[in-house]
Amino acid sequence: MHPYQKLIKLSKQIAHLSSITYLLEWDQEIYMPAEGIAYRPEQIALLSGLVHQKKTSKAFAKSLNSLIDLDTKEIKDPHLTLLQIIALKRWRRDYLLAAKIPSSFVKKFATVTSNAAHVWQMAKKHNDFKLFLPHLQKVISLCRKKADIIGYQEHPYDALLDTYEPDAKTSDLINIFNQLKPPLKQLLKEISIKSPVENHFLYQLCPKHIQLEFAHLILEKMGFSLSSSRLDYSVHPFCTGLQPKDTRMTVAVNPENILGTISATLHEGGHGLYHIGLIAEHYGTPLAESLSLGIDESQSRFWETLIGQNRHFWQYFFPILQQNLPKQFGLITLDQFYRAINSIKPHFIRIEADEISYNLHILLRFEIEKQLIEGSLSVKDIPEAWNTRMRDYLGLDPKIDSQGCLQDIHWSLGMIGYFPTYALGNLYAAQFFSQFKKDQPNWGTQAEQGNLSPIRTWLQTHIHKFGRQYTQEELCQKITGSILSEKPFIDYLQKKYSTLYQLDS
Amino acid sequence: MHPYQKLIKLSKQIAHLSSITYLLEWDQEIYMPAEGIAYRPEQIALLSGLVHQKKTSKAFAKSLNSLIDLDTKEIKDPHLTLLQIIALKRWRRDYLLAAKIPSSFVKKFATVTSNAAHVWQMAKKHNDFKLFLPHLQKVISLCRKKADIIGYQEHPYDALLDTYEPDAKTSDLINIFNQLKPPLKQLLKEISIKSPVENHFLYQLCPKHIQLEFAHLILEKMGFSLSSSRLDYSVHPFCTGLQPKDTRMTVAVNPENILGTISATLHEGGHGLYHIGLIAEHYGTPLAESLSLGIDESQSRFWETLIGQNRHFWQYFFPILQQNLPKQFGLITLDQFYRAINSIKPHFIRIEADEISYNLHILLRFEIEKQLIEGSLSVKDIPEAWNTRMRDYLGLDPKIDSQGCLQDIHWSLGMIGYFPTYALGNLYAAQFFSQFKKDQPNWGTQAEQGNLSPIRTWLQTHIHKFGRQYTQEELCQKITGSILSEKPFIDYLQKKYSTLYQLDS
């Protein structure tokens, strides 16, 4: 067997074991009987441990080192193709990162965060930050240790960021977010003095099966087939790509919010199409992996907001919605509906935020995380730091921490460095969308006839199929001719909401 | 950590990995999108390989050997309890068996049988034994090799049998089956001259959800809770115990056969209760494992036939069935119904066989398997051997092999030595039932009121909770005062069917 094939074989085993871990998690959220939880975390920990073992095994390192020198990056086989060489560089990167983290630390991190997540749930329920405090302190302390273990040049937060958004730098985030903040705040301010949009008709009792039928229709139009994907219910929506031919999405169905189900379907469907769009022949190599969380999120937000809150999309889907729910939507015009789903109103809760507020929620979290990691903010002072920013950015005054700094699960799980990828996703999505409209000027007319394939094809051709072949910067440059900027996002928002709210510009 | 605790830790890892393999199989049969099959077998093979590796690892052997000498069985720690010593003996047995089989053989066996199972499916569909022949030849040859690897004293078939029914001997099976055969044939003969029982009303179109509701009612009455078990659809019914608190059963719903669904529910529920009845605190040790396939099958057949084809059971459930399906059962009396579900009519297909014919189906398969393994029958001559016995035992003349020797998947999967456990299950069940009736004389009155807990409790107290603490022989002796015999089974059939068919006795 050629050494490259041997490496693929080892790498595929890691992919298989990871995929099985995802199935355990999927099952836990959807079909596992409640008491099964007694043993499931142990099973997941065992498999995750095996994955880490295999990723850092001597056999894997030796196999990789026979093709690319782990120290010098030198390629040892002159017959390798350019694509294979890129794959080797990615494998090397992953290996060096994983090898830095000792198994004992992985285990400790898992135990501490598992407990913290459990306590967080109670703390959120009882609005008791003090209950969560000692656990969060432990988590943050471990995250700082993790940053030291991984290492960094400029800022310890870089090390954490790197595990979710390879090569992203804290300083770059600060720059781009500083550009982003003023126009977002300005837009919110201008809209706040306009009369609010009527959108109560969106929230009416709607049978679960109608919500799910509509979700399936959207997925079908997006290009999903039931022979290689499925949709289920879970408390929190998610998408998990188990194998190239097995993509699983979930939505949380609120009986009084079909629009929530639709958003979630488009969002998870966006992640799902990315997964399906990777080249199956490369499965088990970095070439068939998602590039970064930011790029992955750009795909979900592309569908959820840029398509799913677009008039063209609803030109086709709104009449179907009316047909299925005549009592709720029969007397509503497309225009009323379109305005309602795009109404802007700052909200305490991130996951209910509109397109303008959303990134401000993220900026707030990023700023706090950064300070926690560099040590300029104590964990105990989070509520104050949170609430101060909420007033400044969104004009809201959280009365209770469960509507404030206790709302997200991420910190309890030690996912520090994750939130910024949500904002990056929005920015990438807008920049891609701007180029997409130039490349596919007829996309709207097609969407109005229910044909979403120009969208899917464009994303697959320009993004999905490359996996990790390019870096995010290279990909963005290749597609849009320039590196990531907040401008396309701001332009998009200003244009859309100036019209919707008749703002002076 | 005490060496015994250390051993449990290693053993639990094996249990976890096995449990995950079962989840992969469960998911494949029920929820996996069809194209997921492209990667699933690889995943299962990878995990099975890991299980075998861990079972035979130096670390496991060393840990075990520090408590029980692997060669001499000598117990090395005088402070161990009797129960711990028994567990160590079982662990040692399993280790020695697994260690005999090289990984290379496990892999080869898996590949050959996976292909054979695939070809079998086509051969069955097209009624083409010749297509299957070369694959079955390979399988049988591997099974003979497996017997040699495992080793045996009297008969090579003993070695294969041992992997499903520990300590069972071919010679004992021959003896007991020889006692069983004449009275079964005699009963069939006597019934064959009686007028057939009207049972066509059983087979009417019945909505899937009503079938499933009834299945759930039965499971609830058997003692299952949705918080630790679930029921799904699959093509072939099965039960898989993933963890002490997670038991999953499936039924295949034929829209024109609600009785099939009910039988399958009771059957799989019987397996499920065995799993639930094991002591959770012992999970990961042999003390919380099913004793043998024969004993496991005794539990499923106990519920399916001895309870589920009993008048007391239907005294409670038939009126509910009538209420749910008034068109189908409204004008039928309990007596008519009871006679219908117990009508005797030999059938080509094993899984549709009545209580009397069933074991003759098994005997036929056992006799052929034994000859194949000892080399007194060529694989190519199976159809003739099969059909000759069908005529002799059941008076049937299979016209096509798909109704004959191609009907079961087992041989394609290399499961030689498995079939006899079905017959043993019936015999154990009848012998246990005979004792159960003495211990719980009021069980029938209770069942008539829908109270099945005396049954469940008796089985749990006398069988389930012991796991592998006793051998089958010890358990049978302990419960019934004697070793396994065909008599209770024959007595049960003779008494029941003499009344039903008014036979002269």
Side-chain angles (χ1 to χ4, degrees):
Chain A
M1 202 188 279
H2 187 279
Y4 190 82
Q5 294 309 318
K6 208 178 146 190
L7 181 64
I8 288 182
K9 199 183 156 192
L10 290 174
S11 182
K12 219 176 213 173
Q13 288 183 355
I14 298 170
H16 282 327
L17 290 176
S18 300
S19 162
I20 296 169
T21 316
Y22 306 151
L23 178 70
L24 287 170
E25 289 164 344
W26 174 87
D27 178 73
Q28 177 175 328
E29 297 301 321
I30 305 169
Y31 292 113
M32 186 183 76
E35 294 179 39
I37 197 66
Y39 298 87
R40 186 54 56 89
E42 270 182 64
Q43 295 184 331
I44 292 177
L46 177 64
L47 269 197
S48 307
L50 282 174
V51 168
H52 188 72
Q53 255 178 42
K54 288 210 177 260
K55 271 187 182 170
T56 57
S57 70
K58 278 182 193 158
F60 185 78
K62 204 180 144 195
S63 175
L64 185 56
N65 194 58
S66 75
L67 293 158
I68 181 171
D69 192 295
L70 288 174
D71 295 323
T72 64
K73 294 195 204 183
E74 184 207 336
I75 297 298
K76 295 184 176 175
D77 180 344
H79 303 295
L80 291 168
T81 66
L82 193 61
L83 214 53
Q84 289 174 324
I85 290 171
I86 292 173
L88 287 171
K89 286 181 182 167
R90 306 288 181 259
W91 262 316
R92 176 181 169 275
R93 182 194 187 283
D94 297 347
Y95 170 76
L96 292 178
L97 182 60
K100 279 178 191 168
I101 307 174
S103 289
S104 57
F105 183 83
V106 172
K107 266 187 203 160
K108 189 168 184 190
F109 199 88
T111 313
V112 168
T113 54
S114 167
N115 285 326
H118 186 69
V119 174
W120 163 77
Q121 217 154 23
M122 289 188 292
K124 183 183 174 185
K125 194 174 166 187
H126 300 106
N127 184 40
D128 186 352
F129 183 76
K130 276 193 186 137
L131 182 67
F132 185 41
L133 180 59
H135 291 270
L136 187 55
Q137 280 169 329
K138 272 188 211 161
V139 172
I140 296 299
S141 147
L142 274 182
C143 285
R144 294 177 68 174
K145 194 164 175 190
K146 185 177 158 192
D148 287 339
I149 291 173
I150 294 174
Y152 51 88
Q153 293 191 323
E154 293 173 18
H155 196 287
Y157 192 79
D158 287 350
L160 303 178
L161 202 51
D162 201 48
T163 62
Y164 303 111
E165 194 67 19
D167 307 321
K169 290 275 164 294
T170 309
S171 54
D172 292 337
L173 289 186
I174 293 174
N175 284 339
I176 204 164
F177 289 169
N178 278 344
Q179 298 297 318
L180 192 59
K181 207 189 296 176
L184 291 182
K185 286 171 68 178
Q186 177 62 24
L187 264 173
L188 284 184
K189 199 176 153 192
E190 289 174 29
I191 290 172
S192 69
I193 52 169
K194 300 284 178 172
S195 33
V197 171
E198 159 58 22
N199 68 350
H200 288 91
F201 62 83
L202 295 179
Y203 309 102
Q204 288 183 25
L205 204 62
C206 166
K208 216 170 157 178
H209 73 271
I210 290 189
Q211 296 202 25
L212 210 65
E213 268 168 37
F214 203 79
H216 271 115
L217 172 70
I218 289 176
L219 289 182
E220 191 201 316
K221 289 286 178 187
M222 284 176 82
F224 287 95
S225 149
L226 283 179
S227 71
S228 58
S229 68
R230 53 178 297 123
L231 181 71
D232 294 270
Y233 301 113
S234 66
V235 176
H236 302 286
F238 66 97
C239 169
T240 187
L242 293 186
Q243 309 162 357
K245 304 288 178 187
D246 187 350
T247 304
R248 305 192 182 189
M249 293 156 287
T250 73
V251 284
V253 175
N254 172 342
E256 289 186 1
N257 186 8
I258 186 173
L259 262 297
T261 303
I262 293 169
S263 287
T265 304
L266 285 158
H267 185 100
E268 304 310 334
H271 285 305
L273 280 188
Y274 190 5
H275 181 253
I276 284 177
L278 298 165
I279 306 293
E281 287 69 35
H282 292 156
Y283 180 58
T285 81
L287 300 173
E289 286 172 359
S290 153
L291 176 49
S292 75
L293 285 184
I295 297 296
D296 220 320
E297 188 74 3
S298 79
Q299 299 309 290
S300 56
R301 294 293 280 180
F302 196 102
W303 282 98
E304 180 192 356
T305 61
L306 301 163
I307 304 298
Q309 290 178 232
N310 194 297
R311 222 176 190 286
H312 295 300
F313 177 85
W314 285 106
Q315 187 92 32
Y316 176 79
F317 283 101
F318 186 59
I320 301 174
L321 199 60
Q322 285 181 308
Q323 238 171 5
N324 287 323
L325 296 166
K327 272 192 191 163
Q328 182 170 3
F329 295 113
L331 297 174
I332 304 291
T333 65
L334 173 59
D335 197 56
Q336 284 173 308
F337 178 78
Y338 175 66
R339 285 174 59 86
I341 63 168
N342 284 298
S343 68
I344 297 294
K345 190 168 184 245
H347 199 289
F348 293 114
I349 306 297
R350 171 182 60 85
I351 56 169
E352 301 192 11
D354 56 65
E355 279 185 293
I356 303 176
S357 316
Y358 192 90
N359 276 358
L360 290 169
H361 280 274
I362 301 304
L363 264 54
L364 172 163
R365 286 156 177 78
F366 162 69
E367 289 162 5
I368 291 176
E369 286 186 354
K370 182 185 140 289
Q371 291 185 350
L372 289 170
I373 295 304
E374 69 193 18
S376 62
L377 177 72
S378 291
V379 178
K380 68 171 172 39
D381 297 328
I382 290 177
E384 201 194 319
W386 185 286
N387 296 347
T388 308
R389 281 185 177 77
M390 275 304 264
R391 275 189 291 274
D392 179 11
Y393 300 170
L394 295 170
L396 293 173
D397 208 353
K399 293 282 178 288
I400 49 174
D401 289 332
S402 30
Q403 292 212 328
C405 65
L406 283 176
Q407 67 182 267
D408 302 300
I409 195 177
H410 303 58
W411 289 348
S412 75
L413 292 172
M415 291 160 80
I416 304 284
Y418 192 107
F419 277 124
T421 68
Y422 287 149
L424 292 175
N426 284 319
L427 303 191
Y428 278 121
Q431 192 157 333
F432 294 154
F433 187 61
S434 150
Q435 184 63 41
F436 162 72
K437 287 191 294 185
K438 288 178 205 154
D439 293 352
Q440 297 281 337
N442 290 323
W443 81 272
T445 326
Q446 292 295 316
E448 287 175 12
Q449 289 156 32
N451 180 11
L452 306 178
S453 69
I455 311 171
R456 182 181 70 250
T457 306
W458 189 90
L459 293 171
Q460 206 271 333
T461 319
H462 290 82
I463 299 165
H464 306 169
K465 73 172 184 184
F466 295 117
R468 291 170 67 191
Q469 182 174 342
Y470 302 107
T471 64
Q472 301 92 294
E473 197 173 305
E474 287 166 352
L475 185 74
C476 192
Q477 186 89 42
K478 183 173 181 296
I479 296 171
T480 70
S482 55
I483 61 164
L484 183 67
S485 150
E486 78 294 347
K487 281 210 177 66
F489 181 66
I490 295 295
D491 287 349
Y492 159 77
L493 291 180
Q494 280 174 341
K495 201 176 154 202
K496 176 172 176 179
Y497 290 96
S498 292
T499 312
L500 272 165
Y501 280 92
Q502 296 170 301
L503 309 177
D504 314 317
S505 50
Chain B
M1 200 188 282
H2 188 280
Y4 189 83
Q5 294 308 317
K6 209 178 145 191
L7 181 63
I8 287 182
K9 199 182 156 194
L10 290 174
S11 183
K12 219 175 212 173
Q13 288 183 355
I14 298 170
H16 283 327
L17 291 176
S18 301
S19 161
I20 297 169
T21 316
Y22 306 151
L23 179 70
L24 288 169
E25 289 163 344
W26 175 87
D27 177 72
Q28 177 176 326
E29 296 302 321
I30 304 170
Y31 292 115
M32 185 183 77
E35 294 179 38
I37 198 65
Y39 298 88
R40 187 53 57 88
E42 269 181 63
Q43 296 184 329
I44 292 177
L46 177 65
L47 270 196
S48 308
L50 282 173
V51 168
H52 188 72
Q53 254 176 45
K54 289 211 178 260
K55 271 186 183 172
T56 56
S57 71
K58 279 182 191 156
F60 185 79
K62 204 180 146 195
S63 174
L64 185 56
N65 194 58
S66 75
L67 293 157
I68 182 171
D69 192 295
L70 288 174
D71 294 323
T72 63
K73 293 195 204 183
E74 185 206 338
I75 297 297
K76 296 184 175 175
D77 179 344
H79 304 294
L80 291 167
T81 66
L82 193 60
L83 213 53
Q84 288 174 325
I85 291 171
I86 292 173
L88 288 171
K89 285 182 183 168
R90 305 286 182 259
W91 262 315
R92 176 182 169 273
R93 183 195 187 282
D94 296 347
Y95 170 76
L96 293 178
L97 182 60
K100 279 179 192 167
I101 307 174
S103 290
S104 57
F105 184 82
V106 172
K107 266 187 203 159
K108 188 166 185 192
F109 200 85
T111 313
V112 168
T113 54
S114 165
N115 285 326
H118 186 68
V119 173
W120 164 78
Q121 218 154 21
M122 290 189 291
K124 183 182 173 186
K125 195 173 166 189
H126 299 106
N127 185 38
D128 186 352
F129 182 75
K130 277 195 184 136
L131 181 68
F132 185 41
L133 180 60
H135 293 270
L136 187 55
Q137 281 170 329
K138 273 188 210 163
V139 172
I140 296 298
S141 147
L142 275 181
C143 286
R144 295 178 67 174
K145 194 165 176 187
K146 186 177 159 192
D148 287 339
I149 292 173
I150 293 174
Y152 53 88
Q153 293 190 324
E154 292 172 19
H155 195 286
Y157 193 77
D158 286 352
L160 303 179
L161 203 50
D162 201 50
T163 61
Y164 303 111
E165 194 66 19
D167 306 323
K169 290 277 166 291
T170 309
S171 54
D172 292 337
L173 289 186
I174 293 173
N175 285 338
I176 203 163
F177 290 169
N178 278 344
Q179 299 296 319
L180 192 58
K181 206 189 299 176
L184 291 181
K185 284 172 70 177
Q186 177 63 23
L187 264 172
L188 284 185
K189 199 176 152 192
E190 288 174 29
I191 290 172
S192 71
I193 53 170
K194 299 282 177 175
S195 32
V197 171
E198 159 59 24
N199 68 351
H200 289 92
F201 62 83
L202 296 178
Y203 308 103
Q204 288 182 27
L205 204 63
C206 166
K208 214 169 157 176
H209 74 272
I210 291 190
Q211 297 202 26
L212 210 66
E213 268 169 36
F214 203 79
H216 271 115
L217 172 69
I218 289 176
L219 289 181
E220 191 201 316
K221 289 287 178 186
M222 284 176 81
F224 286 95
S225 147
L226 283 178
S227 71
S228 58
S229 69
R230 54 177 296 122
L231 181 70
D232 294 271
Y233 302 113
S234 66
V235 176
H236 302 286
F238 66 97
C239 168
T240 186
L242 293 185
Q243 310 163 357
K245 304 286 178 191
D246 188 349
T247 305
R248 306 193 181 187
M249 293 155 287
T250 73
V251 284
V253 175
N254 172 343
E256 290 187 359
N257 186 8
I258 186 174
L259 262 295
T261 304
I262 293 169
S263 289
T265 304
L266 287 157
H267 185 100
E268 304 310 334
H271 285 304
L273 280 187
Y274 189 5
H275 181 252
I276 284 176
L278 298 165
I279 305 293
E281 287 69 35
H282 291 157
Y283 180 59
T285 81
L287 299 173
E289 287 173 358
S290 156
L291 175 49
S292 74
L293 285 185
I295 298 297
D296 219 319
E297 187 74 3
S298 79
Q299 300 308 292
S300 57
R301 294 291 279 181
F302 195 101
W303 284 96
E304 179 193 356
T305 60
L306 301 163
I307 303 299
Q309 289 177 233
N310 194 297
R311 222 177 189 284
H312 295 300
F313 177 85
W314 284 107
Q315 187 93 32
Y316 176 78
F317 283 101
F318 186 60
I320 303 173
L321 199 61
Q322 284 180 309
Q323 240 171 4
N324 287 321
L325 297 165
K327 272 193 193 163
Q328 183 170 4
F329 294 113
L331 298 175
I332 304 292
T333 65
L334 173 59
D335 197 56
Q336 286 172 305
F337 178 78
Y338 175 65
R339 288 175 57 85
I341 63 168
N342 284 297
S343 68
I344 298 294
K345 191 169 183 248
H347 198 289
F348 294 114
I349 305 296
R350 173 182 59 85
I351 57 169
E352 302 193 9
D354 56 66
E355 280 185 291
I356 303 176
S357 316
Y358 192 89
N359 276 358
L360 291 169
H361 279 275
I362 301 305
L363 265 54
L364 172 162
R365 286 158 176 78
F366 161 69
E367 288 162 5
I368 290 176
E369 286 186 353
K370 183 185 140 288
Q371 291 187 348
L372 288 171
I373 296 304
E374 68 194 18
S376 63
L377 178 72
S378 290
V379 178
K380 68 172 171 39
D381 297 328
I382 289 178
E384 200 195 318
W386 185 286
N387 296 347
T388 307
R389 281 184 176 78
M390 277 303 265
R391 274 189 292 274
D392 179 12
Y393 299 171
L394 295 170
L396 294 174
D397 208 352
K399 294 280 178 290
I400 50 175
D401 289 332
S402 29
Q403 292 212 327
C405 64
L406 283 176
Q407 68 182 268
D408 302 300
I409 195 176
H410 303 58
W411 289 348
S412 76
L413 292 172
M415 292 160 79
I416 303 284
Y418 192 106
F419 277 124
T421 69
Y422 288 149
L424 292 174
N426 285 318
L427 303 191
Y428 278 121
Q431 192 157 333
F432 293 155
F433 187 61
S434 151
Q435 183 64 40
F436 163 71
K437 286 191 294 185
K438 288 177 203 154
D439 293 353
Q440 297 282 336
N442 289 323
W443 81 271
T445 326
Q446 293 295 315
E448 287 175 12
Q449 290 157 32
N451 181 10
L452 307 178
S453 69
I455 311 171
R456 182 182 68 250
T457 307
W458 190 89
L459 292 171
Q460 207 272 331
T461 318
H462 290 83
I463 300 166
H464 306 170
K465 73 171 185 189
F466 296 117
R468 292 170 65 192
Q469 183 175 341
Y470 301 106
T471 64
Q472 299 95 293
E473 198 173 304
E474 286 167 354
L475 185 73
C476 193
Q477 186 91 43
K478 182 172 182 295
I479 297 171
T480 70
S482 57
I483 61 164
L484 182 66
S485 151
E486 79 292 348
K487 281 209 180 66
F489 180 65
I490 295 295
D491 287 349
Y492 158 77
L493 292 181
Q494 278 172 344
K495 201 175 153 201
K496 176 172 175 181
Y497 291 97
S498 291
T499 312
L500 272 165
Y501 280 93
Q502 297 172 297
L503 308 178
D504 313 318
S505 48

